[in-house]
Amino acid sequence: QLQLQESGPGLVKPSETLSLTCTVSGGSISSSSYYWGWIRQPPGKGLEWIGSIYYSGATYYNPSLKSRVTTSVDTSKNQFSLKLSSVIAADMAVYYCARLVVVFGNTVVGYSDYWGPGTLVTVSS
Amino acid sequence: QSALTQPASVSGSPGQAITISCTGTSTDVGTYNLVSWYQQHPGKAPKLMIYEVSERPSGVSNRFSGSKSGNTASLTISGLQAEDEADYYCCSYAGNSALVFGGGTKLTVL
């Protein structure tokens, strides 16, 4: 059974960089059938796609966050990571990592079939 | 890339059927048959309920069904049960390997 687990600091100061890692177990991150994504949910609000990364390192980001987001993948550790720079209060959210299923070619993703439990990141000085 | 539009809340009595709409544009829902629906209980991660407009993952009750017409997708839950009370989110592929979510709908089982 595939499992994903987010890890990282739960508290980040304004203007600093949020860093999270997602560890994948029970399956390989190097499969050509999947992207690996980050999705966040501010308290009491809806879901927002942040970005996706392929095992090859190809990345796609939400245009509204693109200037501040960096993702990376470490196939040797079966992990992928998120960095969000210059955080503000509005970046406070539960951050989820998820597996995204490729449905066409190697760029069209259709849906997220596995999610991590999520980790709350608070932005405060 | 704007969020898909969902009603903030819907409600129904046990045994009834309800439908949640999800309205996008011609650049997402209207173009791609890649709408998915997620159920989220408080404090839990979202769970995939429907993918590719109307496909059900293994293990999901056949009381859940999906459809699409033009720029609007819909999730129908028949035979409402207390355990169906949750937040529901739609999501669509939006081109250029991007995804866009709806704002979410709170389902109350009366």
Side-chain angles (χ1 to χ4, degrees), chain A residues 44-59:
Chain A
K45 296 188 177 181
L47 300 168
E48 179 181 36
W49 172 71
I50 300 171
S52 308
I53 187 166
Y54 203 45
Y55 74 97
S56 64
T59 56

Side-chain angles (χ1 to χ4, degrees), chain A residues 5-7 9-10 12 18-22 37-43 47-50 65 68-69 82-85 87-98 115-123, chain B residues 45-46:
Chain A
Q5 180 66 57
E6 306 88 354
S7 60
V12 181
L18 177 161
S19 296
L20 296 174
T21 295
C22 182
W38 291 97
I39 295 147
R40 70 180 183 178
Q41 184 173 36
L47 300 168
E48 179 181 36
W49 172 71
I50 300 171
L65 298 168
R68 298 194 292 131
V69 173
L82 168 72
K83 290 187 186 298
L84 180 66
S85 64
V87 297
I88 59 176
D91 293 316
M92 176 175 167
V94 174
Y95 284 75
Y96 295 100
C97 60
W115 296 63
T119 187
L120 175 63
V121 177
T122 300
V123 178

Side-chain angles (χ1 to χ4, degrees), chain A residues 35 39 41 45-49 52 60-64 96 100 103 106-113 115-118, chain B residues 1 32 34-36 38 40 43-48 50-52 87 89 91 93 96-104:
Chain A
Y35 272 72
I39 295 147
Q41 184 173 36
K45 296 188 177 181
L47 300 168
E48 179 181 36
W49 172 71
S52 308
Y60 299 92
Y61 301 135
N62 187 321
S64 68
Y96 295 100
L100 308 176
V103 297
N106 62 357
T107 60
V108 180
V109 294
Y111 52 94
S112 308
D113 59 350
W115 296 63
Chain B
Q1 182 179 359
Y32 305 101
L34 294 176
V35 177
S36 51
Y38 302 86
Q40 186 181 36
K44 300 295 187 181
K47 174 187 175 185
L48 178 67
I50 295 287
Y51 66 98
E52 293 177 12
D87 294 327
Y89 293 90
C91 179
Y93 181 71
N96 297 317
S97 298
L99 295 171
V100 60
F101 283 93

Side-chain angles (χ1 to χ4, degrees), chain B:
Chain B
Q1 182 179 359
S2 299
L4 307 176
T5 300
Q6 297 181 233
S9 63
V10 298
S11 62
S13 300
Q16 288 185 332
I18 63 94
T19 297
I20 300 172
S21 62
C22 169
T23 301
T25 69
S26 58
T27 61
D28 39 61
V29 175
T31 294
Y32 305 101
N33 288 324
L34 294 176
V35 177
S36 51
W37 289 90
Y38 302 86
Q39 176 191 66
Q40 186 181 36
H41 287 110
K44 300 295 187 181
K47 174 187 175 185
L48 178 67
M49 305 302 285
I50 295 287
Y51 66 98
E52 293 177 12
V53 175
S54 59
E55 298 297 314
R56 258 189 324 274
S58 174
V60 171
S61 171
N62 60 10
R63 298 184 299 104
F64 291 82
S65 62
S67 63
K68 191 188 88 165
S69 177
N71 295 339
T72 299
S74 299
L75 172 71
T76 298
I77 308 173
S78 59
L80 265 182
Q81 300 179 359
E83 68 208 48
D84 299 331
E85 185 162 295
D87 294 327
Y88 290 84
Y89 293 90
C90 61
C91 179
S92 176
Y93 181 71
N96 297 317
S97 298
L99 295 171
V100 60
F101 283 93
T105 298
K106 180 177 180 60
L107 169 61
T108 301
V109 180
L110 302 170

Side-chain angles (χ1 to χ4, degrees), chain A residues 64-82:
Chain A
S64 68
L65 298 168
K66 187 174 184 177
S67 64
R68 298 194 292 131
V69 173
T70 303
T71 57
S72 60
V73 62
D74 187 335
T75 55
S76 67
K77 294 182 179 179
N78 232 32
Q79 294 177 334
F80 61 104
S81 299
L82 168 72

